[in-house]
Amino acid sequence: MADDGLFPVLDLTDLDGIELTESVVSATKWTYVIDYRNRRAVFDDAGHPTKTRTYPEYLVQTALKILNTERFRYVLYGSEVGVERSEWSGWEDVEIKRDIEEALMAHAEILRAEVRSMERVGHEMFLSIYLIGVAGNAELEEVIGI
């Protein structure tokens, strides 16, 4: 067998210079905008992925990611990210509300999440959620499938 081995040798001496997301000032955080209803990224007129422009937009996109992620399904996210949406159809509304609020508040940027209203219509859930973040607040009104 070759002496190179299966994996390349990496120079990680500059690793200390990489800024971790936890060290970024909350008010300046951003994420890409995702259209969760159509399950695709949002692009600008030039064809570039759209980024959130304000902290409230960041909070809403973060909350939407959590609400649209099935908990325990993706190893990448670990057990802290997501809701147990596949179970909601058999749950009482109070259990769903608790699942949503706990999942949202597990994120480091969300200090408090309050489900203000929740209405089931067929296989959809109409949600109104108030989010209190580290650097601002946001309201989220969304329809998600259950």
Side-chain angles (χ1 to χ4, degrees):
M1 221 169 180
D3 205 32
D4 298 343
L6 193 56
F7 300 101
V9 176
L10 301 174
D11 178 15
L12 303 176
T13 56
D14 291 337
L15 193 59
D16 290 337
I18 297 174
E19 192 171 21
L20 300 175
T21 58
E22 289 82 17
S23 64
V24 175
V25 177
S26 292
T28 64
K29 288 189 177 179
W30 61 270
T31 189
Y32 290 107
V33 177
I34 305 293
D35 177 355
Y36 286 98
R37 289 185 187 146
N38 296 310
R39 304 187 93 43
R40 64 179 76 156
V42 175
F43 295 92
D44 63 18
D45 292 338
H48 299 105
T50 304
K51 297 178 182 181
T52 55
R53 292 186 180 110
T54 65
Y55 187 76
E57 285 180 12
Y58 168 79
L59 279 180
V60 167
Q61 278 297 306
T62 299
L64 286 172
K65 179 180 88 173
I66 293 167
L67 292 173
N68 283 282
T69 300
E70 183 70 28
R71 193 171 186 186
F72 307 117
R73 186 169 179 189
Y74 303 100
V75 177
L76 172 71
Y77 291 137
S79 63
E80 293 290 317
V81 177
V83 292
E84 296 180 62
R85 215 167 75 190
S86 63
E87 305 289 323
W88 286 1
S89 60
W91 287 9
E92 297 291 324
D93 286 356
V94 68
E95 295 170 306
I96 297 170
K97 179 180 176 184
R98 184 184 66 240
D99 186 39
I100 291 170
E101 290 175 348
E102 286 177 358
L104 293 172
M105 289 187 295
H107 193 279
E109 285 294 317
I110 300 174
L111 301 175
R112 183 160 160 70
E114 178 186 338
V115 176
R116 292 196 165 163
S117 68
M118 184 171 68
E119 181 183 354
R120 295 186 208 210
V121 177
H123 293 287
E124 294 182 320
M125 180 77 71
F126 290 77
L127 295 168
S128 175
I129 303 170
Y130 187 69
L131 303 165
I132 298 174
V134 172
N137 305 332
E139 284 197 53
L140 165 64
E141 297 207 3
E142 188 66 25
V143 179
I144 58 174
I146 55 172

